[in-house]
Amino acid sequence: RKEVEQDPGPFNVPEGATVAFNCTYSNSASQSFFWYRQDCRKEPKLLMSVYSSGNEDGRFTAQLNRASQYISLLIRDSKLSDSATYLCVVNGGSQGNLIFGKGTKLSVKP
Amino acid sequence: DTGVSQDPRHKITKRGQNVTFRCDPISEHNRLYWYRQTLGQGPEFLTYFQNEAQLEKSRLLSDRFSAERPKGSFSTLEIQRTEQGDSAMYLCASSLGDGGGGSTIYFGEGSWLTVV
């Protein structure tokens, strides 16, 4: 089992749609969880951290289920500018590194 | 610009040559990471430093790869005897603390390597 697995993409959605990304992780000792966004040929940038209680930032909602080792990201009212690859990221338990999923590509169409 | 900077941004080299990338982290960040990313994949962890100490190395980091952070500030990643499979974007990142919880990892813009 891969350390971080994400939904295969791409997701092609119309503007205004709601889209959800899922992610599972294998290391039950992981303590920190993130969603990063990466535009084509650019570096990843932090979108949001994911907390156990779930958290929301505008149109974006992230949730964590530790028992199932599952993380989700919900984007409401999609904008053209949301088109990017979304990377699920988990810290390596007792290790200091972050483990990235392969990413899910989102394309929002007019 | 006080972000993470990487140099060079692009490098084309012939197979068998050595290449070196430099990373200047955000000042006062004690942790520095190197990742590699190929097309269609997420960033793959290579190694990280806490100050000048290299605390972890991935199995991906073969003996042709070496990274240093001699004074706990900038870091270099050297690839010896490059192979075509080394073609990728090499990303450097830094953080204050362990990158978890409230501390964020910031990436540089990456160094693109093409081995011909």
Side-chain angles (χ1 to χ4, degrees):
Chain A
R1 181 181 175 185
K2 292 188 177 177
E3 290 186 88
V4 179
E5 292 197 72
Q6 296 188 237
D7 274 353
F11 283 58
N12 297 308
V13 303
E15 269 187 294
T18 295
V19 60
F21 302 137
N22 303 315
C23 169
T24 56
Y25 62 95
S26 61
N27 188 345
S28 59
S30 296
Q31 295 294 321
S32 303
F33 310 91
F34 310 89
W35 284 100
Y36 273 69
R37 170 194 168 127
Q38 187 172 26
D39 293 295
C40 188
R41 299 182 70 83
K42 298 287 189 181
E43 75 276 21
K45 293 185 179 177
L46 179 68
L47 177 67
M48 58 196 304
S49 300
V50 187
Y51 304 118
S52 295
S53 55
N55 49 301
E56 188 174 307
D57 182 3
R59 298 180 293 108
F60 298 84
T61 301
Q63 295 200 317
L64 168 66
N65 183 322
R66 286 185 184 271
S68 302
Q69 294 178 207
Y70 170 93
I71 306 162
S72 66
L73 176 69
L74 184 75
I75 306 175
R76 291 181 300 278
D77 188 23
S78 300
K79 311 291 184 190
L80 296 176
S81 58
D82 294 335
S83 297
T85 295
Y86 291 83
L87 298 159
C88 178
V89 188
V90 174
N91 87 314
S94 59
Q95 302 162 355
N97 56 302
L98 293 186
I99 309 296
F100 285 75
K102 285 189 175 182
T104 303
K105 186 173 181 179
L106 171 66
S107 181
V108 182
K109 306 292 187 185
Chain B
D1 186 349
T2 56
V4 179
S5 64
Q6 294 188 240
D7 182 71
R9 294 290 318 284
H10 300 272
K11 179 73 176 179
I12 299 174
T13 191
K14 290 184 178 179
R15 190 174 53 185
Q17 298 293 305
N18 299 343
V19 296
T20 299
F21 300 113
R22 175 180 169 125
C23 172
D24 287 90
I26 294 171
S27 60
E28 299 177 357
H29 275 192
N30 57 339
R31 286 213 167 183
L32 186 148
Y33 308 78
W34 285 100
Y35 284 81
R36 180 178 70 185
Q37 188 173 25
T38 54
L39 193 64
Q41 302 294 317
E44 296 172 300
F45 171 75
L46 292 179
T47 188
Y48 84 91
F49 294 83
Q50 173 117 351
N51 301 312
E52 66 275 8
Q54 189 173 17
L55 295 187
E56 188 182 348
K57 293 195 292 186
S58 162
R59 288 188 303 275
L60 294 174
L61 213 66
S62 75
D63 57 5
R64 296 185 298 105
F65 288 71
S66 62
E68 294 182 343
R69 194 183 184 198
K71 296 183 180 178
S73 56
F74 74 91
S75 175
T76 57
L77 176 68
E78 181 182 18
I79 309 174
Q80 296 183 323
R81 305 181 303 281
T82 52
E83 302 172 356
Q84 286 189 318
D86 296 332
S87 296
M89 178 168 66
Y90 290 84
L91 287 159
C92 178
S94 71
S95 72
L96 187 62
D98 65 3
S103 111
T104 299
I105 286 186
Y106 297 89
F107 282 89
E109 293 182 303
S111 292
W112 289 88
L113 174 65
T114 302
V115 182
V116 298

